[in-house]
Amino acid sequence: MQSIYWVVTWACHRRCPHCYDDRFRPYVHDALERVIAEGQRAYPRILANLPDAMRWRDAAGASHSTSLMLAGGELLIDGVRERLFYPLLDGIADRWGDDAPRIAVQTTGDILTDDHIEAMLRRGVTSIAVASIDDYHVGHAGEGKFRLMVRLRAMMARQGVTEIDLGLARTKNISGKSPSRTPGAGGPTFVFFGAQPDLWIGEIWPRGRAWINGLSNADYSTNFCARWSGGKGFLDLGRAGSEVAIEPDGSLYPCCVKTKLPIGSLAEERLDDILADLRAEPALRAINAGDPEGMGLASGWSRENFRAAAATIDPTGRDFANPCIGCDRYFADHLGKVLAERRQARLARNSTACLAGIEPVDQR
């Protein structure tokens, strides 16, 4: 894959109103133990079921390392950091050695320390993304975000980590004065971004607490599926644009926004096998093309049917319409059952192959 977005834990020290999943929140005592244990159980199996070659090829045929984005929650909070996050980084090194993917870490940045940065760099992290540069994170509203950025820039400089501009920033305060630099051009890097109107998901995904609080400003013309970290290209294993998202228990999704149901589990099966099988499913080919409106064409859902299903009333009483809502309803009404049947068939084939002592057949 070109990129893999792996949510390692639900544990977070914040409960932001715009968060796309209500499971991202503070956990204490037994509840924290449970979410840490979930990640501890799953990550060795997920690592084993990721591709042996974490590479992709661009249009010219040049080979590049996969970008593996590790995120929470917040990976640097006490408990998660030493018991789950750092062991996972060590596991990545054990799995791929010198052929390891480029490891990026997403953090809110407000609890980041020099020691954390040093520990991550020592374990192979090449990029740190500070994803809280917006007005939704308590303490970061207004000038608060810029004060945080000043502090983090000084900290990164002490550790030899260079700022890059991904072209997402639109204001001088956010883009800063550091020279633009291509990710992976040499040496560790960091970047700032957040849910601002002119940054990445400015409209905010219609998910989680953002949905409950009526904060998504997306309309029907807002096609998250065709954007960065949307579903477009997710089936194209080894090619430019390919990306999938993983939850702590190994649940697999075609996008960071997340479909109504997972398309498989990396705690059970190899990524290559899941994607090879799902290329036969027309609805997922539509997502792969960045055309969610076409998901149901092969099963009798016209584009008009999809548009009607994409219209709803949000929890605050607003009229709302977005392709993500239509996708959710198609999953609930039809695709969820199809995916469950395909999963059972794959597991049965693999079980039979294992009993026979042969490699599972590649369904491509």
Side-chain angles (χ1 to χ4, degrees), residues 292-349:
E293 193 179 79
M295 288 176 65
L297 294 178
S299 62
W301 266 47
S302 67
R303 292 183 180 273
E304 291 74 18
N305 294 148
F306 185 93
R307 286 194 290 269
T312 188
I313 305 294
D314 81 1
T316 67
R318 297 183 304 164
D319 290 332
F320 190 90
N322 182 262
C324 288
I325 305 300
C327 177
D328 287 349
R329 288 183 170 165
Y330 187 72
F331 261 79
D333 290 355
H334 179 75
L335 192 55
K337 179 181 178 181
V338 172
L339 292 178
E341 292 171 349
R342 297 195 76 97
R343 170 181 166 273
Q344 289 299 328
R346 288 195 308 272
L347 292 175
R349 285 196 301 268

Side-chain angles (χ1 to χ4, degrees), residues 10-347:
W10 300 116
C12 191
H13 60 305
R14 290 177 171 272
R15 193 191 291 264
C16 297
H18 73 307
C19 191
Y20 70 96
D21 198 309
D22 191 49
R23 288 173 290 182
F24 293 123
R25 61 180 187 269
Y27 294 84
V28 297
H29 307 309
D30 290 347
L32 180 60
E33 289 297 317
R34 285 194 296 273
V35 295
I36 292 174
E38 177 183 46
Q40 290 174 319
R41 286 192 301 271
Y43 87 76
R45 288 177 287 171
I46 296 170
L47 289 178
N49 284 325
L50 288 175
D52 294 332
M54 293 286 269
R55 310 285 298 180
W56 62 280
R57 293 188 179 276
D58 61 26
S63 178
H64 306 271
S65 295
T66 295
S67 177
L68 179 59
M69 173 65 80
L70 304 178
E74 176 54 70
L75 294 171
L76 295 173
I77 60 176
D78 292 342
V80 172
R81 184 180 64 251
E82 297 287 352
R83 296 170 53 195
L84 175 56
F85 176 41
Y86 291 166
L88 170 58
L89 292 176
D90 294 337
I92 292 169
D94 291 341
R95 172 76 163 89
W96 289 285
D98 293 339
D99 296 321
R102 290 175 49 246
I103 304 172
V105 172
Q106 188 170 304
T107 176
T108 59
D110 54 349
I111 63 171
L112 193 62
T113 68
D114 286 89
D115 287 345
H116 295 155
I117 298 172
E118 189 277 331
M120 288 190 287
L121 298 181
R122 179 161 37 88
R123 290 174 168 87
V125 172
T126 59
S127 180
I128 299 171
V130 180
S132 63
I133 307 305
D134 53 51
D135 292 332
Y136 295 103
H137 289 77
V138 174
H140 296 190
E143 292 298 312
K145 69 179 75 63
F146 302 123
R147 289 192 294 271
L148 173 67
M149 293 168 72
V150 168
R151 180 170 68 83
L152 292 182
R153 282 178 173 138
M155 190 183 301
M156 297 293 186
R158 290 194 296 271
Q159 298 296 325
V161 185
T162 303
E163 185 174 357
I164 60 171
D165 181 356
L166 296 183
L168 302 174
R170 298 289 183 269
T171 73
K172 181 178 179 181
N173 279 344
I174 291 177
S175 59
K177 298 181 180 179
S178 299
S180 180
R181 181 170 171 179
T182 302
T189 61
F190 75 101
V191 65
F192 292 115
F193 71 96
Q196 295 202 48
D198 52 359
L199 293 180
W200 187 33
I201 51 167
E203 299 94 338
I204 304 182
W205 294 330
R207 290 289 188 267
R209 289 193 293 275
W211 176 246
I212 293 169
N213 294 325
L215 294 177
S216 177
N217 290 317
D219 58 21
Y220 192 78
S221 68
T222 308
N223 184 2
F224 291 115
C225 195
R227 291 188 180 184
W228 174 35
S229 292
K232 186 175 181 179
F234 85 98
L235 287 172
D236 300 331
L237 188 68
R239 292 165 54 188
S242 56
E243 179 174 294
V244 292
I246 309 169
E247 286 190 345
D249 67 351
S251 294
L252 180 69
Y253 294 85
C255 57
C256 287
V257 192
K258 293 194 293 190
T259 46
K260 180 73 171 178
L261 298 166
I263 59 174
S265 171
L266 293 183
E268 297 177 333
E269 303 176 79
R270 291 183 61 85
L271 177 63
D272 311 51
D273 296 337
I274 296 172
L275 297 185
D277 176 59
L278 294 183
R279 289 191 188 99
E281 176 51 49
L284 296 184
R285 290 203 301 270
I287 292 177
N288 192 66
D291 179 26
E293 193 179 79
M295 288 176 65
L297 294 178
S299 62
W301 266 47
S302 67
R303 292 183 180 273
E304 291 74 18
N305 294 148
F306 185 93
R307 286 194 290 269
T312 188
I313 305 294
D314 81 1
T316 67
R318 297 183 304 164
D319 290 332
F320 190 90
N322 182 262
C324 288
I325 305 300
C327 177
D328 287 349
R329 288 183 170 165
Y330 187 72
F331 261 79
D333 290 355
H334 179 75
L335 192 55
K337 179 181 178 181
V338 172
L339 292 178
E341 292 171 349
R342 297 195 76 97
R343 170 181 166 273
Q344 289 299 328
R346 288 195 308 272
L347 292 175

